[in-house]
Amino acid sequence: MYENLVGLLSNNPLLLTTLLFIIFGKHLLAVVIVSVIKVASLRERRSVYTVPITKKQYMRELTASWALFLDGAVFALLLSVGAYHFTTEFSWGIFLLSYICIFLFFEFWFYITHIAMHTKWLFPIHKTHHRSRAINPLSGLQFSLSEKAILTLGSVGFIAVLSQIFAVSLHGVLLFFFVYYANSLIGHSNIEIQPSHHTSSFFGKLFTSPTYHALHHSRMNGHYGLTITLFDRLGSSVFSDYEKIHARAAQGMGLKKLSDHLNN
């Protein structure tokens, strides 16, 4: 099994790059995003909530981030037993088909499992992640092993299933994990990077934002989607004051308390 994996990786630089990114990419992106926020003083100018975060919280989030390596471990295991059928030849058609299929399935998987983990029976699985109500990029690293296993099943596991239907583009897989990891970290940043009018645009109504997920962590009874708002809109779980809070954050007038609402 080990020899099979080494042989595959030594003969396929793109496959090796993909595996290394799945293992280390989210931590590396976290370093970049935290550095940009600090250098650009975004926390002082664009925070959704102006609630201070303690060093103890930062350390707790980093300590819990070891569970993220499950993605890479399972990907390597499935590679070694021949569970994947990839193509490394670039074709726009297969590249886009691969990415869109993985993206849409994972968005649906994330939404339904996220709602399930907010029930009293399954919330213990999700509790580790919600120890952070005032969030920052490192909050996107904090998961229990059981929750990470569920997410891994919907990403790494689904890719194995999809590759039994057609040869999945490795470029598409790499793009998916880049977007997935980056969006998770930016979504937890508590920094509104979009302009104040964003939520009234087509893309603003289709895609989530840092404000969107910051509200999920502070209120915990809505905004279950990761990248798109479609399932929340169908399930009537979008907060009515989301657009107002988004506009305030984009204008540098973040909320002072996690309990604040702007429904009036």
Side-chain angles (χ1 to χ4, degrees):
M1 186 181 296
Y2 174 76
E3 291 78 8
N4 289 344
L5 180 62
V6 172
L8 286 170
L9 297 176
S10 61
N11 294 319
N12 194 328
L14 181 59
L15 185 60
L16 176 60
T17 300
T18 302
L19 175 59
L20 289 176
F21 186 81
I22 292 173
I23 296 172
F24 302 111
K26 196 168 188 181
H27 286 87
L28 292 174
L29 287 172
V31 172
V32 173
I33 291 169
V34 169
S35 299
V36 170
I37 289 172
K38 185 175 181 61
V39 170
S41 301
L42 293 177
R43 188 163 298 282
E44 291 76 21
R45 298 189 291 113
R46 306 284 296 244
S47 288
V48 180
Y49 289 101
T50 59
V51 178
I53 296 174
T54 65
K55 290 183 179 179
K56 182 178 180 181
Q57 177 177 328
Y58 289 130
M59 291 305 299
R60 184 187 72 234
E61 291 165 345
L62 280 173
T63 301
S65 71
W66 68 271
L68 296 179
F69 294 116
L70 187 64
D71 277 346
V74 174
F75 188 80
L77 176 63
L78 293 177
L79 268 178
S80 67
V81 298
Y84 291 116
H85 296 89
F86 291 128
T87 177
T88 57
E89 294 183 12
F90 186 82
S91 160
W92 278 107
I94 295 299
F95 167 68
L96 292 174
L97 179 63
S98 299
Y99 176 75
I100 291 170
C101 287
I102 300 167
F103 173 81
L104 289 178
F105 178 83
F106 187 74
E107 286 295 310
F108 178 68
W109 178 262
F110 183 92
Y111 179 77
I112 60 173
T113 58
H114 196 183
I115 285 185
M117 287 188 287
H118 272 266
T119 62
K120 64 180 180 180
W121 300 281
L122 296 180
F123 188 71
I125 295 173
H126 196 41
K127 186 177 180 179
T128 296
H129 185 67
H130 270 289
R131 290 186 67 186
S132 301
R133 291 191 64 209
I135 56 176
N136 70 94
L138 301 187
S139 304
L141 304 177
Q142 180 178 242
F143 295 92
S144 68
L145 183 60
S146 53
E147 178 174 2
K148 190 57 196 171
I150 291 170
L151 296 176
T152 299
L153 182 61
S155 57
V156 173
F158 174 72
I159 292 169
V161 174
L162 186 66
S163 72
Q164 306 308 308
I165 302 172
F166 64 88
V168 171
S169 166
L170 257 182
H171 297 88
V173 172
L174 185 56
L175 177 63
F176 166 75
F177 279 100
F178 177 83
V179 173
Y180 167 30
Y181 290 166
N183 185 57
S184 175
L185 294 166
I186 294 171
H188 285 89
S189 68
N190 189 43
I191 304 296
E192 189 45 70
I193 60 175
Q194 304 290 353
S196 59
H197 57 80
H198 173 70
T199 55
S200 62
S201 69
F202 171 77
F203 288 105
K205 293 188 180 298
L206 179 61
F207 295 104
T208 61
S209 69
T211 299
Y212 196 89
H213 201 66
L215 288 171
H216 171 73
H217 271 261
S218 65
R219 300 179 183 179
M220 295 177 59
N221 62 346
H223 288 198
Y224 301 105
L226 178 62
T227 308
I228 58 177
T229 66
L230 173 64
F231 302 118
D232 277 313
R233 294 189 185 281
L234 291 174
S236 299
S237 50
V238 177
F239 296 120
S240 59
D241 57 349
Y242 163 55
E243 294 188 9
K244 292 180 181 178
I245 295 173
H246 178 282
R248 281 181 57 112
Q251 294 166 5
M253 298 183 292
L255 302 180
K256 295 181 179 180
K257 295 185 296 182
L258 294 173
S259 59
D260 283 348
H261 289 67
L262 294 179
N263 287 320
N264 298 324

